[in-house]
Amino acid sequence: LRFPQKLWKMLESSKFQSIWWTEGGKCVAINKDLFEVEVLGREGQQVFHTQKIKSFMRQLNAYGFTKLQQNFQRSASLPEFLSEEAAASAHSQILYYYNPSFNRAHPWLSETCKRR
């Protein structure tokens, strides 16, 4: 299978907890640390031909995926700010990628995902 088909299969599978569709099915969410262990760290059963998250992200970019930045509104009060900072830190382990041709509601579009 090509990279987009492997990615699609993984997203639709219940076997993986480290990668999922965002609400609405327009983006791919990846828990970076868990993905490295659960997917890239598999011995003998590699899904992708790499063990490095950077190589996986290069593959995403090569197929037209763009990383989305998460912007957080910060509170002015110190306790709220510290609480939000802790949540943002945990949230920073989640990577979001978008490709207009990779949408859960329109599976046939994934066939148009070509390597650049």
Side-chain angles (χ1 to χ4, degrees):
L1 294 174
R2 291 180 33 236
F3 180 82
Q5 283 89 12
K6 288 180 187 180
L7 184 62
W8 189 280
K9 249 182 121 168
M10 183 177 282
L11 287 162
E12 292 296 314
S13 170
S14 60
K15 294 180 186 176
F16 301 99
Q17 302 302 308
S18 60
I19 187 167
W20 63 94
W21 291 105
T22 58
E23 193 171 324
K26 294 183 179 181
C27 295
V28 175
I30 304 165
N31 180 316
K32 183 180 158 195
D33 291 341
L34 184 56
F35 189 81
E36 287 180 302
V37 173
E38 182 182 56
V39 178
L40 302 178
R42 298 176 109 191
E43 293 293 323
Q45 298 178 333
Q46 286 185 323
V47 178
F48 301 102
H49 298 291
T50 185
Q51 293 178 327
K52 297 181 179 167
I53 191 74
K54 293 280 186 193
S55 297
F56 177 75
M57 292 188 309
R58 273 196 289 280
Q59 281 279 46
L60 286 168
N61 291 327
Y63 279 93
F65 287 83
T66 54
K67 186 176 178 184
L68 300 178
Q69 299 298 323
Q70 299 300 311
N71 297 322
F72 294 99
Q73 294 284 335
R74 304 287 191 206
S75 296
S77 76
L78 183 59
E80 287 180 21
F81 177 84
L82 293 174
S83 170
E84 291 167 357
E85 191 65 25
S89 176
H91 196 68
S92 70
Q93 293 301 312
I94 310 295
L95 307 172
Y96 296 93
Y97 282 90
Y98 170 76
N99 182 327
S101 298
F102 204 82
N103 185 317
R104 188 177 197 180
H106 308 291
W108 61 89
L109 286 177
S110 68
E111 293 299 318
T112 65
C113 288
K114 302 286 184 214
R115 188 173 176 88
R116 292 185 202 174

